Amino acid sequence: MERDYFLASAIVSPRNVADVQAIVRLANEISFPLWPISIGRNSGYGGAAPRVSGSIVMSMGRNLNKVLEVNVEGAYCVVEPEFLIVGHEGVTFQDLYDYLLANNLRDQLWIDVPDHGGGSVLGNSTERGVGYTPYGDHWMMHCGMEVVLPNGELLRTGMGALPDPKRPETVNLDPEDQPWNKTAHTFPYGFGPYIDGLFSQSNMGIVTKLGMWLMPNPGGYQSYLITLPKDDDLKQAVDIIRPLRLNMALQNVPTIRHILLDAAALGSKTSYSSKTEPLSNDDLNKIAKQLNLGRWNFYGALYGPEQIRKGLWETIKGAFSVIPGVKFYFPEDTPKNSILRVRDKTMQGIPTYDELKWIDWVPNGAHLFFSPIGKVSGEDAMLQYGITKKRCKEAGLDFIGTFTVGMREMHHIVDIVFNKKDPEQRKKAQWLIRTLIDDCAANGWGEYRTHLAVMDQIMGTYNWNNGSLLKFNEVIKDAVDPNGIIAPGKSGVWPTRYIQEGWKL
Ligand code: ADP
């Protein structure tokens, strides 16, 4: 098989941590590559496929799916690779949400969800995925991990490394069943080198449990939409957003969405235009008018009791009002099927399934995410948008994208939507992402996460001082996984043997 064709040879579903350890030990004996997934959606980044064809995919979430704890006082939960209400199939962020509802906990604790409610809490968080409440940086909000190391040993990080005092009822339990230290999910760092990062976007171990902080119900909520009429309003808007986000007047992870992202979630390209080539400025203006949206649309939310929300809204509204033609909406001001009504749920941690309709923008739609990080600066945003828009056009594809605003940076998510049955478009989509990676690196921008096919290329751009980052990762990889059995090639980190065999793409 070609080395860029990603196919598993088999799938195994361990029933418990001991199974994971047994599989890992066996894989070591025969030097066989394993590829752990939780649910395996990983949408836009390669799905459930392994980087090395023929790997055994370990479907961690199939059986390791328990809610281990929801702690109201400490506002955290502990989950296995997938979080499932016993007896349910379909194991997602949705289930965590349903669990809170079923146990009358939602009035106390909120979860944070990504755009699509169908992924796994653990998978998304270890991949450093984002959501849109104030707890939108999932990795920032994790606290305490349990990991099966490549040699089969079980490790708990942070305060989890400190044993819970022995009690008669726990003294004979296997390590994986022992209670966590009482501060394991309230203080992330423990003592000594902080190694949690080694188990995110990585191939250094298989995560079997994860602590996540949950947001206390803020006691009031209001989502809103601010429409920006012109394409280059992006510049001014981003400069307005920066101080508001830094001083937390913008409390959540808001998004600045290009008109076509909203349009594509509401209808296919043919429902707006008979063109097959990329839409023009005029076409986009027409669509914006038709949907009563801006060329850019800013979705945010206010959290807290009414007087707090009122104060924040005055600040935010006042700051944006300097942009000519800007308009402000609450969900009830918009049509029944509006994106604001979907975001209204997402930004309060209610899972939704509406947004992936983007994919149907073209017939037989499939998508790839290109996700560079940028400063929260109008100039940088315009430059990054300009480069990606131009390259999309050269590839014959529409620019569909959004900026999600973190504390001090933006994830610019460009959704490369293409017809997967059209070999020409497939080729162009590949050309596009590869070209954009190089273009962005030349401007000092790197991606936060990526598809299997371009992991090597992206790791190759993180090459400061003769690639010291990758070299360090490779040393660790060989040390902890000498047989190279866990997810070889994940994030461009390869065991020596695979480097010698020329596996890098
Ligand atoms: P989701 O279904 O939420 O999109 P996935 O289950 O597809 O997430 O996981 C995304 C990626 O995260 C996987 O391809 C894998 O590299 C990594 N991953 C997921 N679960 C684990 C785990 N338990 N241990 C180590 N890595 C994992």
Side-chain angles (χ1 to χ4, degrees):
M1 212 163 266
E2 294 297 325
R3 284 189 170 175
D4 63 353
Y5 194 88
F6 309 118
L7 190 67
S9 60
I11 299 175
V12 295
S13 307
R15 280 161 305 204
N16 48 42
V17 171
D19 273 3
V20 180
Q21 292 172 293
I23 292 165
V24 162
R25 290 190 177 117
L26 181 59
N28 267 304
E29 274 175 38
I30 57 174
S31 283
F32 205 95
L34 304 169
W35 184 268
I37 60 165
S38 287
I39 287 289
R41 292 228 169 29
N42 205 20
S43 184
Y45 296 115
R51 175 63 183 79
V52 170
S53 271
S55 298
I56 292 179
V57 165
M58 288 177 80
S59 178
M60 298 291 296
R62 179 108 189 228
N63 299 311
L64 289 169
N65 52 26
K66 281 184 292 305
V67 48
L68 297 167
E69 183 179 6
V70 172
N71 186 306
V72 176
E73 192 188 72
Y76 64 80
C77 67
V78 187
V79 294
E80 288 189 322
E82 199 29 78
F83 191 100
L84 168 74
I85 302 171
V86 176
H88 267 73
E89 280 290 8
V91 286
T92 58
F93 277 93
Q94 180 76 49
D95 290 300
L96 179 50
Y97 175 73
D98 288 346
Y99 181 92
L100 292 184
L101 280 188
N103 290 279
N104 289 323
L105 293 169
R106 156 87 183 160
D107 60 347
Q108 305 192 66
L109 294 175
W110 287 13
I111 64 167
D112 186 281
V113 296
D115 292 295
H116 192 266
S120 101
V121 177
L122 187 150
N124 187 280
S125 304
T126 56
E127 286 296 282
R128 307 196 290 259
V130 295
Y132 304 95
T133 74
Y135 281 35
D137 183 338
H138 293 165
W139 181 248
M140 187 192 286
M141 296 302 162
H142 97 280
C143 191
M145 305 177 92
E146 183 186 272
V147 185
V148 172
L149 297 174
N151 65 1
E153 206 178 336
L154 192 66
L155 170 87
R156 285 183 180 172
T157 65
M159 298 306 290
L162 193 73
D164 191 57
K166 293 227 181 329
R167 284 172 269 136
E169 66 274 24
T170 62
V171 78
N172 290 321
L173 291 176
D174 291 331
E176 64 268 31
D177 297 325
Q178 288 170 11
W180 289 74
N181 179 277
K182 59 188 161 192
T183 55
H185 308 301
T186 55
F187 180 63
Y189 310 124
F191 180 75
Y194 176 62
I195 60 170
D196 284 41
L198 287 178
F199 305 111
S200 77
Q201 291 192 2
S202 96
N203 50 15
M204 309 292 182
I206 300 175
V207 185
T208 49
K209 295 185 184 80
L210 185 76
M212 286 296 292
W213 288 346
L214 300 176
M215 175 172 150
N217 181 331
Y221 170 77
Q222 176 68 60
S223 63
Y224 60 84
L225 158 67
I226 305 177
T227 59
L228 309 162
K230 296 203 311 293
D231 203 31
D232 52 13
D233 286 338
L234 177 67
K235 181 168 193 289
Q236 196 176 1
V238 170
D239 287 329
I240 289 169
I241 288 164
R242 182 180 54 254
L244 293 176
R245 182 79 178 104
L246 274 175
N247 68 21
M248 296 188 200
L250 292 170
Q251 299 159 287
N252 69 323
V253 175
T255 45
I256 321 167
R257 293 163 61 118
H258 186 261
I259 177 63
L260 282 193
L261 188 64
D262 285 11
L266 294 167
S268 66
K269 184 165 179 173
T270 50
S271 70
Y272 298 100
S273 167
S274 55
K275 280 189 184 168
T276 50
E277 70 271 26
L279 297 179
S280 67
N281 250 328
D282 285 349
D283 298 326
L284 298 184
N285 285 336
K286 231 168 38 204
I287 292 174
K289 197 157 170 219
Q290 181 187 338
L291 298 176
N292 202 24
L293 289 169
R295 282 294 292 274
W296 292 99
N297 298 287
F298 181 71
Y299 293 91
L302 311 162
Y303 302 81
E306 197 185 344
Q307 60 273 37
I308 290 178
R309 299 200 310 270
K310 198 163 161 275
L312 291 171
W313 185 228
E314 277 168 17
T315 307
I316 294 163
K317 218 174 155 180
F320 274 92
S321 292
V322 300
I323 302 178
V326 80
K327 288 193 187 134
F328 303 89
Y329 299 89
F330 289 152
E332 58 273 22
D333 310 325
T334 64
K336 286 273 171 297
N337 67 341
S338 74
I339 298 298
L340 179 55
R341 288 178 190 262
V342 178
R343 299 309 288 181
D344 178 69
K345 295 194 187 117
T346 309
M347 290 186 288
Q348 56 177 311
I350 301 175
T352 66
Y353 298 88
D354 306 81
E355 301 232 29
L356 269 182
K357 289 187 196 124
W358 309 315
I359 289 183
D360 296 328
W361 183 243
V362 295
N364 310 308
H367 76 150
L368 255 179
F369 282 131
F370 172 68
S371 320
I373 298 294
K375 291 199 302 184
V376 192
S377 132
E379 203 179 317
D380 264 48
M382 286 304 284
L383 194 57
Q384 214 176 62
Y385 167 54
I387 288 169
T388 45
K389 186 170 66 167
K390 175 171 154 276
R391 292 298 195 188
C392 286
K393 198 167 171 205
E394 284 170 25
L397 299 171
D398 289 304
F399 171 89
I400 300 178
T402 177
F403 291 90
T404 69
V405 188
M407 297 292 286
R408 285 167 173 76
E409 55 70 43
M410 299 198 293
H411 289 44
H412 181 191
I413 312 289
V414 180
D415 200 11
I416 303 175
V417 181
F418 59 96
N419 180 342
K420 65 174 176 251
K421 297 213 169 134
D422 177 344
E424 200 51 36
Q425 276 209 6
R426 280 208 315 258
K427 247 200 266 160
K428 285 192 169 153
Q430 281 217 31
W431 170 85
L432 178 58
I433 197 163
R434 289 198 173 279
T435 306
L436 284 174
I437 292 164
D438 288 342
D439 284 349
C440 281
N443 281 280
W445 295 311
E447 289 66 54
Y448 95 100
R449 181 180 180 185
T450 199
H451 189 279
L452 300 170
V454 288
M455 285 175 171
D456 291 319
Q457 188 186 350
I458 290 183
M459 185 48 102
T461 65
Y462 281 79
N463 60 7
W464 183 79
N465 200 15
N466 302 319
S468 49
L469 175 74
L470 178 57
K471 280 194 241 165
F472 184 67
N473 271 310
E474 287 171 348
V475 167
I476 297 177
K477 177 66 180 165
D478 280 336
V480 301
D481 185 7
N483 297 314
I485 56 153
I486 309 279
K490 169 86 182 167
S491 301
V493 178
W494 291 94
T496 295
R497 178 160 68 91
Y498 285 79
I499 297 173
Q500 287 161 351
E501 289 173 9
W503 277 85
K504 285 192 188 185
L505 282 176

